[in-house]
Amino acid sequence: MAVELTPQLRQQTEQTIAAVREMLITGNCPPNLYKPQCRGCSLSEVCLPKETEKAKRRLQNTVDC
């Protein structure tokens, strides 16, 4: 299946690449929130949404004390 690379698609692709580069450089990545569909996800062990949320709560509790 061929995908036509229109000027709009090219611009969107370049913006997405720039946003990903910025996230990698700054470390400011979007949160990996747990959702019901996470249970069947093959990336669940890499993403670890529940564990990340628990760690954030523990860190916040430590800072608040």
Side-chain angles (χ1 to χ4, degrees):
M1 176 180 189
V3 176
E4 182 182 349
L5 190 56
T6 63
Q8 294 83 9
L9 181 56
R10 177 179 288 280
Q11 181 181 18
Q12 183 180 7
T13 302
E14 290 172 352
Q15 289 172 343
T16 301
I17 292 168
V20 170
R21 280 187 181 142
E22 183 70 20
M23 283 190 289
L24 292 172
I25 291 169
T26 65
N28 293 329
C29 297
N32 53 342
L33 304 174
Y34 182 79
K35 300 175 190 166
Q37 55 267 50
C38 291
R39 287 181 299 195
C41 180
S42 63
L43 297 176
S44 183
E45 291 183 24
V46 177
C47 180
L48 301 171
K50 285 184 177 180
E51 288 77 4
T52 303
E53 189 58 38
K54 287 177 189 174
K56 285 180 183 178
R57 281 197 301 267
R58 282 194 301 268
L59 180 61
Q60 186 61 43
N61 288 339
T62 302
V63 172
D64 289 342
C65 293

